[in-house]
Amino acid sequence: MSTFENKLIPRSEAWKYSNTFGTNGDDFYAKLTMNDDGTIAKESYSKAYRNQQQKFKLQSSKEETRNNKKKEKNGEGCLAKILKAPFRLLWWLLKKLLGLLPVIITLGIINSDEKNSDKKK
């Protein structure tokens, strides 16, 4: 069974609660619905505050998934990196050589044409 409780709050936090009232001076209260376990029920909070909390939870869960993905990518141990280093070097050199292959072929064709033109003269 839920109960109602008037809680003294600062005026700056009044937007968080759905049912607030003030008295003369600095006293400002929120009428809260309390659960059986002593926690504040969701209905006591304003819609704007609940939306903000939901967005915050979504952002934090997205950041957690990003961090988990980064950890999975960086999960390679030191020994594995050492063992893979020579193969990575060979792969890098092979890619560079294959990237230069069109240039080498072009220069080879140009040089062969010059030699053929010298023979014709």
Side-chain angles (χ1 to χ4, degrees):
M1 182 88 187
S2 58
T3 59
F4 294 100
E5 182 180 313
N6 290 332
K7 181 180 175 186
L8 181 65
I9 58 169
R11 284 191 184 268
S12 61
E13 292 185 5
W15 70 275
K16 292 181 181 180
Y17 303 101
S18 61
N19 191 0
T20 58
F21 59 94
T23 60
N24 294 344
D26 293 329
D27 295 338
F28 209 72
Y29 292 93
K31 188 172 185 178
L32 304 175
T33 307
M34 303 299 287
N35 293 328
D36 293 333
D37 58 355
T39 59
I40 300 172
K42 283 185 180 180
E43 298 80 31
S44 297
Y45 293 110
S46 67
K47 188 175 181 179
Y49 182 73
R50 283 183 283 182
N51 289 340
Q52 181 191 29
Q53 292 302 312
Q54 187 176 13
K55 287 179 185 177
F56 179 72
K57 285 180 185 177
L58 289 174
Q59 287 175 349
S60 63
S61 66
K62 286 180 183 178
E63 288 175 5
E64 282 182 26
T65 55
R66 276 191 222 127
N67 290 339
N68 288 340
K69 287 180 182 178
K70 286 180 182 177
K71 286 179 184 177
E72 289 173 4
K73 288 181 181 178
N74 296 334
E76 190 175 273
C78 183
L79 183 62
K81 286 182 181 179
I82 292 171
L83 292 174
K84 291 180 181 178
F87 298 107
R88 288 182 177 154
L89 177 65
L90 288 173
W91 178 246
W92 180 78
L93 289 171
L94 182 65
K95 287 193 312 187
K96 292 295 180 184
L97 181 65
L98 290 175
L100 291 174
L101 193 61
V103 175
I104 294 170
I105 291 173
T106 305
L107 290 176
I109 292 172
I110 292 172
N111 286 338
S112 68
D113 286 344
E114 288 177 1
K115 290 179 183 177
N116 289 339
S117 64
D118 289 340
K119 289 180 182 179
K120 290 180 182 178
K121 289 181 180 180

